[in-house]
Amino acid sequence: MRGSRILLFLLVTLFAARSGVAQAASVALMPRMVIAGSPELIRVSGPANALVDGEWLGRKISFSADHGTWVALAGVDVEAPVGPSTLHITAHAGGKDIDLSRNVEIHEAHYRTGALTVSPKFVEPPPEALIEIEEESKIKAKVYAASATEPLWRGSFHAPVASRPTDSFGTRRMFNGKLASIHKGADFHAPAGTVVHASNSGVVVLARKLYFEGNCVIIDHGMGLFTLSMHFSRIDVHEGQRVKAGDRLGLSGATGRVTGPHLHWAVRWEGAMLDPVKLLRLDLDTVR
Ligand SMILES: [Zn+2]
C-alpha cells in the first residue's frame, strides 16, 4: 500500500535564470499514471525564492512550500474526460514568469455498473424534502468555498475504519431501476457502531444530519481538500473542532440513503471527487 508501488514521474526542463545561469526545474506527478478519479501529488522544484501556481482542467492549484520544493495535493475528477490535458504551472521568480506546463494524458478507469434498492423517498424525494435538500446544498457550498489557505494535513492519510474498502468508487448505479448516478466515494464494511476515525489532521467544518448523507462529518484538510464520512449512527465531533489522524469522529450506522449499515467515505478536492482508496495508497510521509 506504500510508495514502493508508486513510480515517480520526473520531467526535467532547463531554463535560463535571470542571472543567465541555467537552473533545473522539474514537475513530478505521483502516481505517474493519471486515471479519471486519481488524487495526484504534484511536486515542483524550481529556482529558489520562486512562487508557484497552477491550474488543471479548470481547477486552481495552490502550492505550499515543502523542503525547498513546492507541493500540491490535487487530482482529476472521476468524470474527467479521458485523453490529453494540460497541467498549467507557472513559477514566478526574479520578476519573470517561467512556464512549467505539461501535457498529461488522463487514462480511462474501468468502473463497474451496479443496481441497488433504497427507500423510494431517496429516489423521488417528497416536496418538503426538496426544500431541505436545497438548504443543505447551500450549507455545503459555503463550507467548500471556505477551505483553509494552508495545508492542514500531515503525512499519509489513514483508513477511517479498520475494515477493507469495497471496490465501489466510480460505480455507475441504478437506484430502484430508475435514477442513474455515479458513486463518488468508497464504501467500507462497518457494522453499526463501528468507530470511525479522522484520516488526517484538519478542521471539522460540518457535523450534522443531511437528507442523503445521513449523519455526516466533513473535514477540511486545507487548500480545497476535504474528506466526507456519511451514514453515522452518532457524531462525536462538533463543527469548528480541530482533529488529527486517528481521532474519533463518531459511530458508523445506516442513516440517509443506504441499503444497510456501512461507512461511505469520500475525498473532494476543488470540487473534484477523487478515489479515496488511491489517496490511502499515496505515500505522503515524506511530505510536510
Ligand atoms: Zn457509498
Side-chain angles (χ1 to χ4, degrees):
M1 298 286 280
R2 288 289 172 196
S4 58
R5 285 193 201 166
I6 301 164
L7 295 169
L8 196 69
F9 184 47
L10 196 66
L11 289 164
V12 177
T13 54
L14 289 172
F15 65 89
R18 206 182 193 185
S19 60
V21 179
Q23 279 182 273
S26 67
V27 176
L29 288 182
M30 185 177 77
R32 175 188 169 182
M33 169 81 117
V34 180
I35 297 169
S38 290
E40 294 289 333
L41 183 77
I42 305 170
R43 189 184 289 277
V44 177
S45 318
N49 305 320
L51 285 175
V52 175
D53 58 45
E55 180 268 331
W56 196 8
L57 294 167
R59 296 188 165 87
K60 187 181 179 305
I61 306 174
S62 307
F63 287 86
S64 61
D66 179 66
H67 302 103
T69 66
W70 294 87
V71 293
L73 192 45
V76 176
D77 185 68
V78 61
E79 294 186 89
V82 169
S85 73
T86 306
L87 170 58
H88 297 276
I89 297 177
T90 308
H92 309 273
K96 279 188 174 178
D97 288 350
I98 303 144
D99 185 11
L100 301 174
S101 299
R102 293 285 175 271
N103 291 323
V104 177
E105 186 73 13
I106 298 174
H107 296 270
E108 190 179 356
H110 298 282
Y111 298 124
R112 295 173 302 120
T113 301
L116 41 84
T117 304
V118 295
S119 165
K121 70 174 183 175
F122 292 117
V123 178
E124 284 174 65
E128 63 273 20
L130 293 176
I131 297 164
E132 191 184 327
I133 292 164
E134 178 62 26
E135 278 304 307
E136 291 174 1
S137 61
K138 283 182 197 159
I139 293 167
K140 287 184 279 185
K142 211 173 157 186
V143 156
Y144 292 137
S147 185
T149 53
E150 54 175 7
L152 303 178
W153 56 275
R154 289 263 182 280
S156 300
F157 282 69
H158 299 277
V161 289
S163 60
R164 290 172 66 90
T166 60
D167 177 23
S168 56
F169 178 79
T171 304
R172 268 70 182 162
R173 281 178 164 178
M174 293 293 287
F175 283 101
N176 301 4
K178 281 182 184 172
L179 180 77
S181 75
I182 294 175
H183 188 244
K184 295 182 176 179
D187 289 337
F188 287 74
H189 294 295
T194 304
V195 175
V196 180
H197 303 276
S199 59
N200 210 317
S201 47
V203 175
V204 175
V205 287
L206 184 141
R208 63 176 77 188
K209 191 172 201 298
L210 303 173
Y211 191 81
F212 292 113
E213 297 88 341
N215 289 317
C216 180
V217 174
I218 301 180
I219 297 175
D220 177 20
H221 300 288
M223 299 177 99
L225 184 73
F226 298 87
T227 53
L228 296 71
S229 302
M230 300 178 192
H231 314 312
F232 285 16
S233 57
R234 198 179 85 191
I235 295 174
D236 291 328
V237 287
H238 60 263
E239 292 172 5
Q241 186 176 332
R242 290 193 82 95
V243 291
K244 55 187 193 311
D247 282 357
R248 176 184 171 134
L249 301 180
L251 300 178
S252 70
T255 54
R257 186 177 65 186
V258 295
T259 55
H262 72 280
L263 171 69
H264 176 102
W265 192 60
V267 176
R268 180 187 163 113
W269 171 74
E270 291 292 337
M273 299 309 291
L274 310 180
D275 186 343
V277 177
K278 287 196 174 72
L279 180 65
L280 296 177
R281 285 184 186 149
L282 264 189
D283 184 354
L284 302 174
D285 286 340
T286 57
V287 185
R288 292 176 46 70

